Amino acid sequence: MSYASRQADAQGHVQYTDEEHAVWNTLISRQLPMLPGRVSQEYIDALHGMDLPRDRIPQLDEVSAKLRRHTGWSVAPVPALIDFTRFFALLAERKFPAATFIRRRDQLDYLQEPDIFHEVFGHTPLLTDHRFAAFSEAYGKAGLKADKRDHAMLARLFWFTVEFGLINTADGLRSYGAGIVSSPGELVYALESDLPQRKRFEPLDALRTPYRIDIFQTVYFVIDSYDELFELAQKDLLPLVAEARRMGMHPPTYPVRDIA
Ligand SMILES: [Fe+2]
């Protein structure tokens, strides 16, 4: 069963049920102890700075107020799925598109659609980091300039950094991607499993790497510092995209499903 976006009232607030608040409480309470030693210290520090409530789902305007103070970003409520053009346009305006529904208790461990726990807990902390924020904005601007046929290729760059990125630190490998940080299962798998490849992050390589959204990843890309993303934000991404298109896709490293 799919989820529908939750409508805000006249004050811009979404009314959640007690059960929905309780699901948030369960998700955040079990994920916080998972972070030390697995998630980059910048993310953990930024998460503390966000001071998210434990006992209730935060409203997006509360989250936005904190982001604005740091980097001028905010979160914008959107339906569960939006098209690429809207997605790029929001990022270019320093607005992070966020779904407002929360998963049901029978899908605590995994759901394909991004819910508000994924959006707020996973995505917003690093948007207080100016390097990460600059990359996200530049990415949106590049997307708006890109030819439509290149949208899926650009999506891969976002996927392998913002969603599923890993980072080398003095203390060892850590995760920073929102899809990993907000998932108890993938947080352990991404760092400890022998199954996935962990490749040094190269933008061209990431652009050419296919992924599936419905399984744990088979490839992760590892940065050495958020400075790398900041430096990438200063470059024109479109020639890289053109080069990736010219070189073609890497073969999938996961089982390819038959398309009915
Ligand atoms: Fe996400």
Side-chain angles (χ1 to χ4, degrees):
M1 185 184 131
S2 64
Y3 292 90
S5 176
R6 298 293 298 268
Q7 292 299 313
D9 64 17
Q11 284 73 45
H13 289 182
V14 174
Q15 300 298 324
Y16 295 103
T17 64
D18 288 348
E19 168 60 11
E20 288 171 322
H21 288 304
V23 167
W24 170 276
N25 175 259
T26 301
L27 288 167
I28 196 167
S29 299
R30 69 177 189 168
Q31 198 67 353
L32 286 171
M34 300 280 294
L35 305 184
R38 296 191 179 97
V39 172
S40 93
Q41 196 58 45
E42 283 98 333
Y43 170 90
I44 292 176
D45 292 345
L47 180 68
H48 287 148
M50 294 299 292
D51 195 24
L52 296 174
R54 296 272 202 110
D55 57 341
R56 62 177 177 86
I57 301 169
Q59 296 292 334
L60 294 187
D61 59 356
E62 304 170 57
V63 178
S64 292
K66 289 185 183 133
L67 293 183
R68 274 197 200 95
R69 281 206 297 273
H70 290 277
T71 52
W73 275 75
S74 61
V75 273
V78 295
L81 291 171
I82 56 173
D83 65 28
F84 279 124
T85 304
R86 176 118 188 263
F87 177 68
F88 293 135
L90 285 166
L91 293 179
E93 294 171 20
R94 292 189 286 183
K95 292 178 183 156
F96 196 88
T100 50
F101 72 89
I102 193 156
R103 70 194 74 181
R104 293 188 310 269
R105 194 168 286 280
D106 61 355
Q107 292 191 306
L108 275 186
D109 290 329
Y110 184 79
L111 82 166
Q112 205 166 305
E113 301 109 311
D115 72 345
I116 192 165
F117 179 73
H118 166 81
E119 311 282 29
V120 171
F121 185 90
H123 280 289
T124 64
L126 279 179
L127 287 170
T128 64
D129 182 292
H130 78 278
R131 298 164 297 179
F132 197 85
F135 172 67
S136 303
E137 181 181 350
Y139 174 84
K141 287 177 173 163
L144 283 181
K145 282 190 287 177
D147 192 291
K148 232 179 170 155
R149 68 182 166 162
D150 290 328
H151 284 178
M153 186 156 276
L154 265 174
R156 294 182 199 111
L157 184 62
F158 191 86
W159 187 264
F160 288 115
T161 54
V162 175
E163 293 288 0
F164 288 96
L166 298 179
I167 183 166
N168 275 321
T169 76
D171 299 318
L173 190 62
R174 298 288 185 269
S175 60
Y176 71 90
I180 306 176
V181 166
S182 63
S183 161
E186 191 146 2
L187 184 50
V188 174
Y189 167 91
L191 296 167
E192 296 173 18
S193 171
D194 292 334
L195 297 174
Q197 295 176 49
R198 298 177 187 85
K199 301 171 84 175
R200 174 86 192 84
F201 175 64
E202 291 292 343
L204 192 56
D205 205 6
L207 287 165
R208 301 174 60 210
T209 302
Y211 62 84
R212 263 173 65 175
I213 66 169
D214 58 337
I215 53 173
F216 284 174
Q217 299 305 299
T218 49
V219 179
Y220 296 97
F221 285 93
V222 186
I223 59 174
D224 284 330
S225 161
Y226 297 111
D227 294 343
E228 271 181 65
L229 298 182
F230 184 70
E231 283 157 22
L232 193 54
Q234 318 306 312
K235 290 184 187 155
D236 185 356
L237 293 177
L238 296 190
L240 264 181
V241 169
E243 177 71 359
R245 186 173 2 98
R246 194 186 62 74
M247 294 174 80
M249 293 296 291
H250 292 309
T253 51
Y254 45 77
V256 178
R257 287 177 300 181
D258 292 333
I259 297 180

